[in-house]
Amino acid sequence: MSNPNGRFGVHGGQYFPETLMNAIIELEEAYNYYKADPDFQNELTQLLNDYAGRPSRLYYAEKMTKDLGSAKIYLKREDLNHTGAHKINNALGQALLVKRMGKTRVIAETGAGQHGVATATVCALMDMECVVYMGRTDVERQRVNVERMRMLGADVRAVTSGNMTLKDATNEAIRDWCTHPEDTYYIIGSTVGPHPYPDMVARLQSVISREIRTQLLDHEGRTSPDYLIACVGGGS
């Protein structure tokens, strides 16, 4: 963050419905406290290692390297984490924060379904009610992930407004939060939304780069690659 108010130059800040500003302020205060709390960080590290399966492997893609012929290519195998993606890193951290804040109900949005699965998983682990909003178009396209969420006890709600995809699911999740601000926490899956969400999600996902520095030192005797390449959808 370029300053404590969560701004990147003219961008960022805390623009959200007035009915949720107390919830956002409560979240910011809790986040600022627990990100520096050793007990919180130790419990999160234990969960990441023993439950999510970190550190994920750094794999030297020898055949791809030979085919492209211009660089040594390593793949950070986040697909080997519990639930099959990087989404579990953020979901575990935020769920642990939910637990510390005393909230009992979690809502989330999802498009492809991986964030929904990760959120449903951590809610099952920590015995919290879970509601996942998903556009009806995505529900039909991602049927396997929908069934996984429901097996984990989540209430998956198909959204029929707009294009019936991720943006519309996000809108419905915010409407839900507006009517349940006292007991509900919104686990956002990407670096989007009002401060402190972008900073929080980025911090929780930074475990990936911290591991790469250590692993690359073992593989190559250096801590930084020449280039980092990642995919991005909603902001992950």
Side-chain angles (χ1 to χ4, degrees):
M1 289 298 171
S2 57
N3 67 46
N5 295 319
R7 287 192 174 276
F8 298 87
V10 299
H11 304 289
Q14 290 180 318
Y15 300 97
F16 227 49
E18 188 65 28
T19 54
L20 289 173
M21 283 312 300
N22 285 338
I24 292 295
I25 292 169
E26 180 187 15
L27 167 59
E28 183 177 10
E29 290 174 350
Y31 169 60
N32 287 336
Y33 177 82
Y34 286 113
K35 72 181 181 182
D37 179 56
D39 290 338
F40 180 92
Q41 293 301 328
N42 288 339
E43 185 173 358
L44 177 57
T45 297
Q46 182 265 323
L47 286 169
L48 288 170
N49 293 347
D50 298 340
Y51 186 73
R54 303 206 70 87
S56 63
R57 302 295 90 192
L58 187 68
Y59 171 68
Y60 173 49
E62 184 176 4
K63 186 175 180 181
M64 187 183 296
T65 295
K66 289 179 179 178
D67 287 345
L68 296 177
S70 59
K72 294 185 72 173
I73 299 171
Y74 284 88
L75 305 177
K76 185 63 167 156
R77 295 294 306 276
E78 290 298 291
D79 57 302
L80 298 179
N81 293 334
H82 183 35
T83 72
H86 68 293
K87 295 293 186 180
I88 193 71
N89 306 326
N90 170 62
L92 272 174
Q94 288 201 53
L96 198 57
L97 187 60
V98 176
K99 184 178 175 182
R100 292 290 206 282
M101 293 174 68
K103 306 289 184 180
T104 58
R105 181 175 182 268
V106 165
I107 58 174
E109 88 297 330
T110 195
Q114 284 295 154
H115 175 60
V117 169
T119 301
T121 299
V122 298
C123 286
L125 173 67
M126 299 187 187
D127 196 26
M128 293 183 289
E129 180 185 353
C130 180
V131 178
V132 178
Y133 288 92
M134 192 173 190
R136 181 172 293 282
T137 300
D138 291 327
V139 168
E140 294 170 357
R141 289 189 297 204
Q142 304 292 342
R143 176 60 58 184
V144 172
N145 280 335
V146 172
E147 293 306 316
R148 291 175 73 192
M149 286 183 265
R150 288 175 173 159
M151 286 174 60
L152 289 159
D155 176 6
V156 182
R157 300 184 183 178
V159 176
T160 57
S161 60
N163 292 325
M164 300 185 289
T165 53
L166 183 60
K167 177 180 178 295
D168 312 295
T170 301
N171 290 340
E172 287 302 316
I174 293 171
R175 290 189 186 99
D176 182 314
W177 200 12
C178 284
T179 58
H180 304 91
E182 298 300 325
D183 67 341
T184 297
Y185 181 101
Y186 183 7
I187 294 185
I188 293 180
S190 298
T191 50
V192 297
H195 179 68
Y197 276 109
D199 183 64
M200 180 164 52
V201 176
R203 183 180 295 269
L204 291 169
Q205 293 294 2
S206 68
V207 64
I208 299 171
S209 56
R210 292 198 304 272
E211 289 176 5
I212 289 174
R213 291 176 69 87
T214 300
Q215 292 168 324
L216 199 61
L217 184 63
D218 292 336
H219 283 285
E220 297 290 337
R222 55 193 291 195
T223 58
S224 299
D226 294 316
Y227 296 95
L228 284 169
I229 301 173
C231 60
V232 61
S236 301

